[in-house]
């Protein structure tokens, strides 16, 4: 018996396809033309869901699976899609995808275009290397999705289009930077690097050695340095100095403290060393920075 396949038509589904004339407006109206939705929807328990596009389509596609399972086939291979995973299909890429027959997926999906759409597609797929990625379930992400759908359901005024598509950029950021998104909503436990940065922020008025930083979170110096650089792109000492200079900028901008007083407040006793470090990081001297304020 041949398996029934369906493009749409699932109980409880929501779907919006923006009219061609509205998409034309989106295509030439800033800031919407940078990134805009062409289709958006929600398919719960989408049994026998299947789509095949041998030549791809002109939009980029994002599908987020919150329950059940599915699969994706693109030229680079076939990928399983599990709960709390999303798939990204760049524009014009041939593809097939569908729900698992035994445990059909529940998906939130969006088609999108715009001047910056290729950049977002590249970011989501990690430079077109990963088409299926894990992203933890976050209530706030679903609330953003629902707010976009509600806005579009209420009509295609320029206000609604602008709100929806700016919100959509934030939704994409939640997939590209899930840890930062979750941290902003206080939903994840901080890791060793996060705790170390908090420790640095609490000790900006003193000089810390690498050994002290590692000891504060009970790690060896070598392991601490490795995981810190991997996550931030900087060594702990350089990162700490950046925080100090960032704090010094606030003193320069919002107080009348002398340079040597600010140097002391950020734990650098030699004001000449402080000035050299400031200039190296900021590109101008502390006094020049102060003169530019306002």
């Amino acid at each position: 018996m041949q398996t029934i396949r369906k493009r749409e038509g699932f109980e409880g589904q929501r779907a919006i396809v923006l009219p061609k004339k509205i998409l034309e407006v989106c295509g030439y109206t800033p800031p919407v033309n940078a990134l805009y939705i062409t289709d958006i929807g929600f398919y719960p328990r989408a049994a026998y869901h299947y789509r095949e596009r041998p030549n791809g389509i002109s939009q980029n596609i994002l599908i987020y699976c919150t329950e059940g399972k599915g699969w994706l086939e693109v030229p680079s291979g076939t990928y399983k899609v599990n709960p709390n995973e999303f798939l990204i299909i760049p524009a014009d890429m041939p593809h097939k995808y569908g729900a698992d027959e035994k445990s059909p997926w529940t998906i939130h999906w969006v088609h999108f275009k715009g001047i910056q759409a290729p950049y977002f597609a590249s970011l989501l797929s990690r430079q077109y290397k990963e088409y299926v990625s894990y992203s933890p379930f976050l209530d706030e992400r679903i609330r953003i999705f629902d707010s976009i759908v509600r806005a579009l359901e209420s009509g295609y005024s320029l206000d609604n289009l602008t709100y929806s598509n700016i919100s959509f950029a934030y939704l994409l950021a939640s997939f590209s930077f899930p840890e930062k998104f979750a941290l902003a909503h206080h939903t994840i436990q901080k890791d060793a690097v996060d705790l170390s940065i908090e420790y640095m922020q609490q000790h900006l008025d003193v000089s810390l050695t690498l050994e002290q930083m590692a000891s504060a979170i009970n790690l060896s110096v070598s392991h601490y340095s490795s995981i810190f650089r991997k996550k931030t792109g900087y060594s702990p000492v350089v990162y700490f100095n950046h925080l100090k200079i960032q704090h010094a900028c606030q003193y320069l901008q919002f107080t009348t403290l002398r340079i040597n007083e600010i140097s002391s407040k950020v734990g650098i006793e030699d004001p000449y060393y402080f000035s050299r470090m400031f200039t190296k990081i900021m590109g101008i001297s502390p006094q020049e920075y102060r003169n530019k304020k306002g």
Side-chain angles (χ1 to χ4, degrees), residues 7 12 15 30 116 127 156 191 193 195 205:
R7 293 185 174 184
Q116 294 184 358
Q127 288 75 51
Y156 301 126
D191 64 15
V193 174
L195 294 173
D205 58 340

Side-chain angles (χ1 to χ4, degrees), residues 12 30 152 159 183:
L152 292 175
D159 281 354
L183 187 61

Side-chain angles (χ1 to χ4, degrees), residues 200-242:
M200 292 177 184
Q201 291 170 327
Q202 293 163 2
H203 294 83
L204 292 175
D205 58 340
V206 298
S207 178
L208 294 176
T209 66
L210 183 60
E211 289 74 14
Q212 287 174 312
M213 296 178 196
S215 177
I217 54 172
N218 300 312
L219 293 178
S220 68
V221 169
S222 58
H223 182 53
Y224 168 62
S225 298
S226 175
I227 64 170
F228 196 99
R229 184 180 288 277
K230 184 176 181 181
K231 181 167 182 175
T232 68
Y234 296 96
S235 72
V237 171
V238 169
Y239 197 97
F240 189 40
N241 287 339
H242 283 187

Side-chain angles (χ1 to χ4, degrees), residues 274-286:
F274 165 75
S275 293
R276 290 196 300 272
M277 180 192 295
F278 189 100
T279 303
K280 181 178 180 181
I281 292 174
M282 298 301 298
I284 56 176
S285 71

Side-chain angles (χ1 to χ4, degrees), residues 160-208:
N160 282 346
L161 292 172
T162 303
Y163 169 80
S164 298
N165 290 297
I166 290 176
S167 297
F168 178 56
Y170 188 44
L171 181 68
L172 293 186
S174 80
F175 289 105
S176 300
F177 308 102
E179 289 186 359
K180 296 183 184 300
F181 180 80
L183 187 61
H185 297 282
H186 310 289
T187 56
I188 63 169
Q189 186 175 359
K190 296 174 183 176
D191 64 15
V193 174
D194 296 325
L195 294 173
S196 177
I197 292 172
E198 281 192 356
Y199 180 77
M200 292 177 184
Q201 291 170 327
Q202 293 163 2
H203 294 83
L204 292 175
D205 58 340
V206 298
S207 178
L208 294 176

Side-chain angles (χ1 to χ4, degrees), residues 55-274:
N55 299 312
I57 55 175
S58 61
Q59 303 99 340
N60 303 274
I61 303 171
L62 171 72
I63 297 177
Y64 179 43
C65 174
T66 55
E67 295 179 15
K69 299 178 181 180
W71 55 272
L72 167 69
E73 182 181 321
V74 290
S76 61
T78 301
Y79 306 85
K80 294 180 180 179
V81 182
N82 295 304
N84 299 321
E85 291 185 337
F86 69 91
L87 63 89
I88 179 73
I89 306 171
D92 302 317
M93 177 176 283
H95 61 268
K96 302 177 187 177
Y97 58 77
D100 181 83
E101 291 190 9
K102 294 182 180 179
S103 180
W105 60 13
T106 291
I107 55 174
H108 295 74
W109 56 268
V110 189
H111 295 195
F112 61 98
K113 299 180 74 170
I115 297 168
Q116 294 184 358
Y119 167 76
F120 279 97
S122 174
L123 192 64
L124 288 161
S125 62
R126 295 170 177 81
Q127 288 75 51
Y128 302 115
K129 294 177 181 177
E130 299 179 25
Y131 298 102
V132 176
S133 300
Y134 173 78
S135 190
F137 181 84
L138 299 167
D139 286 336
E140 183 61 25
R141 179 184 289 139
I142 303 304
R143 283 194 285 270
I144 294 170
F145 183 93
D146 288 342
S147 75
I148 293 171
V149 172
R150 286 196 301 272
L152 292 175
E153 284 177 337
S154 66
Y156 301 126
S157 67
L158 186 57
D159 281 354
N160 282 346
L161 292 172
T162 303
Y163 169 80
S164 298
N165 290 297
I166 290 176
S167 297
F168 178 56
Y170 188 44
L171 181 68
L172 293 186
S174 80
F175 289 105
S176 300
F177 308 102
E179 289 186 359
K180 296 183 184 300
F181 180 80
L183 187 61
H185 297 282
H186 310 289
T187 56
I188 63 169
Q189 186 175 359
K190 296 174 183 176
D191 64 15
V193 174
D194 296 325
L195 294 173
S196 177
I197 292 172
E198 281 192 356
Y199 180 77
M200 292 177 184
Q201 291 170 327
Q202 293 163 2
H203 294 83
L204 292 175
D205 58 340
V206 298
S207 178
L208 294 176
T209 66
L210 183 60
E211 289 74 14
Q212 287 174 312
M213 296 178 196
S215 177
I217 54 172
N218 300 312
L219 293 178
S220 68
V221 169
S222 58
H223 182 53
Y224 168 62
S225 298
S226 175
I227 64 170
F228 196 99
R229 184 180 288 277
K230 184 176 181 181
K231 181 167 182 175
T232 68
Y234 296 96
S235 72
V237 171
V238 169
Y239 197 97
F240 189 40
N241 287 339
H242 283 187
L243 291 179
K244 285 177 177 288
I245 297 306
Q246 182 185 79
H247 202 50
C249 287
Q250 296 178 39
Y251 282 124
L252 288 165
Q253 187 167 0
F254 301 118
T255 77
T256 57
L257 291 173
R258 296 190 296 271
I259 302 300
N260 64 323
E261 292 175 313
I262 294 173
S263 175
S264 180
K265 280 188 171 292
V266 295
I268 302 173
E269 295 306 321
D270 182 348
Y272 297 104
Y273 178 71
F274 165 75

